[in-house]
Amino acid sequence: LPESISKLYVGSVSPGERRQLVDELLSARTTGQIPLVMNSHNVFRIRLIKELFPKARFVFMTRDHKSFIKSGKHKWTTDQEIGVLGVDGHIDYPHIGLHWLLINSIALYDLKKYATVDHIHIKLEDLHREESVRTATIDRVFDFLGLDPIESLDDVFDDGFIFTRSGNAEEIDVLDE
């Protein structure tokens, strides 16, 4: 089944497809800093990424499926109401949960198989819990990545800004999807 999801998931990937992944990284990278690639399609590329970049490390964050489904339903309903998603853009809500389960299961399996000691799994809800849990989660991630500790900023947490880096900003090049 996963092979039908992404041709980059299959075991035998052509040199051209390997080069495509490297080119994606190089074209998006603007500095010589450590790349932090935030691309959801990479959940299907874990094996390939580890083959191409043996030192790659993964921070995998999952969200509670009920929260994901509720948020997705709200977003897609709103998009349809304002015309971003056409009438033909029907979302089959029960399948949203199946989609979430399938993608996260594949990613967790592949991380355990191909990046056993090179991944960390955190839960989004832990970043929204009390300060001690939030700080411990962030500290685990930074420790895993070998970065300096951070100073938690609770007053701005709800504004979408979770933390400030203490001396790490110059080391990370963020590459969004």
Side-chain angles (χ1 to χ4, degrees), residues 22-157:
V22 172
D23 286 345
E24 284 177 26
L25 176 64
L26 294 176
S27 67
R29 194 169 180 185
T30 58
T31 71
Q33 299 171 331
I34 300 168
L36 174 61
V37 181
M38 297 187 299
N39 183 332
S40 59
H41 298 294
N42 285 337
V43 297
F44 299 120
R45 300 173 173 173
I46 293 166
R47 178 180 175 184
L48 178 59
I49 290 169
K50 284 303 286 181
E51 288 175 10
L52 295 172
F53 308 102
K55 294 181 181 180
R57 306 192 86 197
F58 300 87
V59 176
F60 186 61
M61 182 167 43
T62 55
R63 181 177 179 181
D64 169 68
H65 71 282
K66 290 178 183 175
S67 169
F68 173 78
I69 293 168
K70 183 178 178 183
S71 174
K73 182 177 181 180
H74 176 264
K75 180 200 180 311
W76 290 312
T77 301
T78 302
D79 284 353
Q80 199 166 34
E81 289 170 359
I82 63 172
V84 173
L85 186 65
V87 178
D88 296 336
H90 172 72
I91 303 295
D92 187 1
Y93 295 110
H95 286 101
I96 295 170
L98 294 173
H99 176 75
W100 178 93
L101 179 62
L102 179 63
I103 289 174
N104 285 290
S105 297
I106 290 170
L108 286 170
Y109 174 83
D110 282 355
L111 286 168
K112 289 180 181 182
K113 184 172 183 177
Y114 302 113
T116 307
V117 296
D118 292 327
H119 81 278
I120 186 171
H121 175 208
I122 62 170
K123 297 178 179 181
L124 178 64
E125 57 265 26
D126 289 343
L127 296 174
H128 291 278
R129 290 180 56 199
E130 60 273 1
E131 183 183 3
S132 62
V133 175
R134 180 171 50 247
T135 300
T137 302
I138 294 169
D139 287 348
R140 277 185 34 238
V141 172
F142 273 58
D143 183 57
F144 168 75
L145 295 173
L147 298 172
D148 296 331
I150 56 119
E151 176 186 338
S152 180
L153 298 175
D154 287 328
D155 58 334
V156 295
F157 184 78

